Every structure is written in C-alpha cells, then in structure tokens.
Amino acid sequence: MIDILMVDDHTIFRSGLQRLLLDETDLRTTAEAGNGAEALELVRRRRFDVVLLDINMEGRNGLEVLASIRAAQPALPVLMLSMYAEEQYALVAIQAGARGYIAKDAEPAELVYAIRCVAAGGQYLSARAASQVSGQLGGRDDRPAHQRLTVREHQIMLMMLKGLSLTAIGNEMLISVKTVSTHRGNILDKLGVASTAELVLYAVRHGIIQ
C-alpha cells in the first residue's frame, strides 16, 4: 500500500483528489496538510511513501517546502502538483529535488501512474515535459528569462513577489541579508528589470502571479 501525504491549500481540491484515489486499491491518502508548516510537522513524525505537493500555496510556496522536506527526509519521494504549465516549473522542481512534476489538469490516470512511478523510486515527467527538460539540460534553452533562474533565485523571486523584505527572506532561508541582496540583483539583471515594482509587472505579464 502506498501511503500519501497530500499538501494543498485548497480544501475542495484535496477532497476531490482523495475521492479519486479511493478507486485505487494500492493508494491511500493517510494525511492532509493545508500549508507548509503542517506538512513538515507530519513528515517529521509520521511515515509516508509519497508527498503530493502543490507549488502555488499561501505562505511558503511549494518549492520552499520541498527544500525543507528534502532536509528532513531526503529519501521521501515528492511529486509536485501545479496549475502552471510544465514548461514553467518542471525543470526547477526536478533541480530542487522533486521526483516528478505533473500539472493539475492532467488526466486522473496519468496522476495515478505518476504516484506509483515515484513511489517505486522512479522519476515522472510527461513526455512533453521530459523532452523540454532534456533540451534545457542539453543547452537548447529557449525558455523565458524567469524560467532560467536558479532554484534559489526562483525561491527568492517568489518571496519578493509576496512583498517580503530582504531581512525577512534572509531569516526564512537562513542566509545573510547581504546574500539575499546579491541574489536580488542577479534576479533583476537576468529578468531585465530595474526594481521590485518592475519585477511585479514582469510577473503579471508572464502569469507568475495573478
């Protein structure tokens, strides 16, 4: 039996996903979490075979939570779920330590297959995402600038878009304010913007935030 921790800040989505998995005799949702803090508490005191983790959550986003899960339970497979298209976050998620990435609009059978795949020690990407990731790793990278940020830069960018100060970001990531400032400068340079206000406009244009 594959025991699943489901992490998503939308109760309705979690309920629908749990009902979907009831039809599978080898899968069961043994716990749910609505945010990163709840998820980490569960990971530290209970055993799971797979974590289904949403990227776009209030508070700490899924990539930040993924890093904490990797630190607490390095061998625990994490399958990232997202409303974002695969080309936007798949490579970032894999580089951050996820075992797989799947869009929320995927067919139910594909999600079930992906869960079984990562639980068995494999890695899951759709055929389209796998081709894109392969090309990106091979140097054929035509993604928008924000998709070429490093994992840490991407995490800091998302925190900046939430309005967190450099000090707050440093405290959250356990790095110095000077280091955060350096990353901020690199992010703005890579995206071709001159300020946090311009970064917000960039994020809206590219669908990073609504």
Side-chain angles (χ1 to χ4, degrees):
M1 181 67 69
I2 298 173
D3 291 328
I4 300 168
L5 168 60
M6 191 181 303
V7 187
D8 192 288
D9 59 355
H10 290 92
T11 304
I12 292 176
F13 179 81
R14 295 200 310 270
S15 297
L17 194 53
Q18 186 168 11
R19 285 195 297 273
L20 183 155
L21 296 179
L22 286 175
D23 293 333
E24 308 301 325
T25 58
D26 61 331
L27 305 178
R28 65 183 178 188
T29 302
T30 54
E32 298 180 20
N35 57 55
E38 292 175 4
L40 289 172
E41 181 182 356
L42 286 164
V43 164
R44 287 171 179 144
R45 63 184 175 85
R46 294 179 57 178
R47 176 195 168 278
F48 301 99
D49 297 303
V50 175
V51 177
L52 296 183
L53 177 60
D54 184 24
I55 283 184
N56 188 34
M57 295 191 296
E58 292 294 328
R60 298 184 71 197
N61 67 74
L63 291 172
E64 297 170 59
V65 177
L66 172 62
S68 297
I69 292 175
R70 305 299 326 133
Q73 297 285 351
L76 178 58
V78 177
L79 176 62
M80 303 300 292
L81 290 166
S82 179
M83 57 184 268
Y84 299 117
E86 294 161 318
E87 59 268 22
Q88 188 157 353
Y89 282 110
L91 180 59
V92 173
I94 295 300
Q95 289 176 327
R99 289 279 187 86
Y101 183 99
I102 188 167
K104 282 187 173 182
D105 61 358
E107 292 295 326
E110 183 181 1
L111 173 60
V112 169
Y113 176 81
I115 293 171
R116 290 176 178 144
C117 181
V118 300
Q123 186 179 80
Y124 181 80
L125 291 170
S126 71
R128 175 184 173 188
S131 176
Q132 290 171 336
V133 168
S134 177
Q136 291 156 9
L137 292 174
R140 301 186 308 276
D141 194 348
D142 57 357
R143 293 173 298 165
H146 64 280
Q147 294 177 22
R148 297 195 296 272
L149 298 175
T150 67
V151 171
R152 173 150 287 191
E153 288 169 347
H154 200 281
Q155 292 169 333
I156 290 174
M157 178 189 70
L158 293 178
M159 291 186 201
M160 290 171 59
L161 291 172
K162 291 177 183 177
L164 272 66
S165 68
L166 299 187
T167 299
I169 294 172
N171 291 338
E172 180 72 24
M173 301 192 74
L174 302 178
I175 57 178
S176 71
V177 174
K178 182 178 179 180
T179 299
V180 177
S181 180
T182 298
H183 282 304
R184 176 185 180 276
N186 291 338
I187 291 165
L188 297 183
D189 286 344
K190 289 182 178 180
L191 302 189
V193 297
S195 65
T196 301
E198 289 186 16
L199 174 63
V200 171
L201 292 175
Y202 177 100
V204 171
R205 286 199 305 270
H206 290 83
I208 300 171
I209 59 175
Q210 301 301 317

